Amino acid sequence: MNLRLAVVKNIITPYTTEFLETLAAQPGVDLLVLYEQWTEATRHWATEQPRAFDNVVLASRSIRLPGTLETILHVPRAPLARLMAFQPDAVVASGGVWSSIVNWRAGLAKQKQDWAFVPWWGQFRTQREGPRGGAIDLAKRGFLGMADGLLAYSERALRDARRLGAGDDPSAVIPNVARTVMVRKTPPSERRQGDRRYLYAGQLSPRKNIPSLLEAFKDPSVGHLWLAGDGPLRAECEMAARTNPRIRVFGFLEPAALDEVYAVVDALVLPSLYEVWGLVVNEALAHGIPVVVTPDVGAREMVADGVTGLVSAGDEPASLVKALRAVQDWERERFVAAMICGRERASEYSADRAASLLVDTCARAAARRGR
């Protein structure tokens, strides 16, 4: 099999480069990655343009969409020039997906260019969508109506895409794949005595439900909170740390430094109001530590409730406290079971498996178009 494959991404993200390298190494695959922009103001990692596969960073200007905190629209000068020169058999629309200008243009151009259009869908319906939900659904339906195949981060995302009119075949569930992590050798319960240490790793932003997390840790029964990340709510986190000695703020950490923190905490907490996936869940399970997540975290599908972590009843402080207290009381045996089962679960989400599924789905989508 020979497959000319293009992947559209919004920005260069270090945690996906390893997967794209694996994808480029698949037999018979010729890969091009289109990045809409180098990075975004809310991202603090160090980036360099990948060298292991063909890629281009489009000349774009970026606009923060009114009424949103984190949604950024990238407007490239020539969105399809490089794509048309490459002439792929299939285009994977990832990154901003339906809110990406490049993805829309690639979908609209598929009839003339005769490439298969395959969205990589991560979104799912929540209870907070409000009156704008209907109009947004119409836009999503139009976008998914162009699809020749479908990739989805989770079963929940796949169901939502089908609710919006996506076809049944070809499709595959391919979650985000985490970077390779440096794992611990012993369960957290054997490393030290005292209250549990809970790690939050990610952007310090309202969507991540940081205010409720800080409120939950006012309760002294839930142990210590370590925050690794940066964002618009960093000052609020630092103020909480000044008044609460059980809260510690690290700021943004590069992967190697973050692995060192994973090695000395007892559990991860991801309290997001909405999370398309949440790669820190993959990382935590690979490190052998349990996770506490809220119901609208896509990666909750990785969590065996009560075994590798807990899904809280809600995202308000009281629900978080209840879940955190439960993990606080786990005995050694439960931490050992969480470590073993978590690592097994994380190993199921490998880059090799994800790349193979993606190539197979795109090849079938291209075959439907006679490519």
Side-chain angles (χ1 to χ4, degrees), residues 130-198:
R132 295 175 56 200
I136 291 174
D137 273 2
L138 284 175
K140 292 177 179 178
R141 285 180 185 277
F143 184 83
L144 288 168
M146 299 186 292
D148 299 294
L150 182 69
L151 307 170
Y153 285 1
S154 64
E155 292 290 348
R156 184 160 45 164
L158 182 61
R159 290 193 298 270
D160 201 60
R162 287 176 174 163
R163 174 184 69 83
L164 293 166
D168 290 339
D169 189 67
S171 63
V173 174
I174 307 177
N176 264 336
V177 179
R179 63 186 173 85
T180 301
V181 302
M182 177 182 65
V183 300
R184 69 175 81 239
K185 300 298 184 183
T186 58
S189 57
E190 294 184 359
R191 290 179 292 102
R192 59 180 187 81
Q193 300 297 317
D195 291 338
R196 304 293 181 203
R197 293 173 178 166
Y198 297 91

Side-chain angles (χ1 to χ4, degrees), residues 187-190 193 196 266 290 306-307 325-339:
S189 57
E190 294 184 359
Q193 300 297 317
R196 304 293 181 203
D266 301 289
V307 179
R325 279 178 178 169
V327 175
Q328 180 83 354
D329 294 336
W330 278 15
E331 300 295 335
R332 175 188 180 278
E333 290 74 16
R334 292 193 71 176
F335 276 102
V336 172
M339 181 177 69

Side-chain angles (χ1 to χ4, degrees), residues 261-330:
V261 175
Y262 273 119
V264 292
V265 297
D266 301 289
L268 175 85
V269 56
L270 184 60
S272 303
L273 299 173
Y274 178 72
E275 192 78 47
V276 168
W277 183 250
L279 279 173
V280 289
V281 174
N282 303 56
E283 291 180 359
L285 294 179
H287 275 284
I289 62 176
V291 298
V292 175
V293 297
T294 44
D296 283 329
V297 171
R300 63 172 288 185
E301 293 186 7
M302 292 189 72
V303 181
D305 201 21
V307 179
T308 59
L310 292 171
V311 180
S312 67
D315 50 45
E316 69 282 357
S319 293
L320 291 173
V321 167
K322 184 176 180 180
L324 294 165
R325 279 178 178 169
V327 175
Q328 180 83 354
D329 294 336
W330 278 15

